[in-house]
Amino acid sequence: MNTGIQDGYDALLTLAAIHHGGNAATALAGYRDRRLRAAREVVAFTGRIMRLVTLDDVGTHLLRTVALAGVGRLPFLRRRIAQAVSCATRTTRRTGAPTPST
């Protein structure tokens, strides 16, 4: 689900651009490139978080516990992490997806 909603939205905009006269090959290649980039970002972020969560030595465990407790108290950081994992910040302006036509 991390990229699914954005994948669907980007696909809709890409198909709309094609429907309104855009070059199909170029539009679809752009869609593929944007979605692969988004998926790679999510996988990389998730990998970093998993490495942090699975560290086992006592010092690292204590540091991680304190850091995560601090993040949980800061709404901005909590929201930012949720947005990064969900791809909620990947807007058409940031990804280069076609913009909805009026």
Side-chain angles (χ1 to χ4, degrees):
M1 183 178 136
N2 289 344
T3 62
I5 293 169
Q6 286 292 326
D7 288 346
Y9 183 69
D10 195 339
L12 174 72
L13 294 176
T14 300
L15 292 173
I18 293 167
H19 178 73
H20 290 291
N23 181 294
T26 302
L28 293 173
Y31 170 81
R32 181 195 63 227
D33 294 343
R34 288 188 302 277
R35 302 323 307 153
L36 284 173
R37 186 171 52 247
R40 286 183 184 120
E41 288 175 11
V42 169
V43 169
F45 179 78
T46 304
R48 289 191 301 271
I49 294 297
M50 286 306 297
R51 281 192 299 280
L52 174 66
V53 170
T54 58
L55 293 172
D56 285 335
D57 69 75
V58 175
T60 304
H61 178 75
L62 179 61
L63 180 63
R64 177 184 63 224
T65 301
V66 170
L68 290 176
V71 167
R73 290 188 188 105
L74 299 171
F76 170 77
L77 288 176
R78 194 173 53 226
R79 187 171 44 254
R80 180 65 188 108
I81 290 170
Q83 288 173 334
V85 171
S86 69
C87 293
T89 59
R90 297 192 60 77
T91 63
T92 57
R93 182 179 52 80
R94 286 191 61 224
T95 64
T99 55
S101 56
T102 56

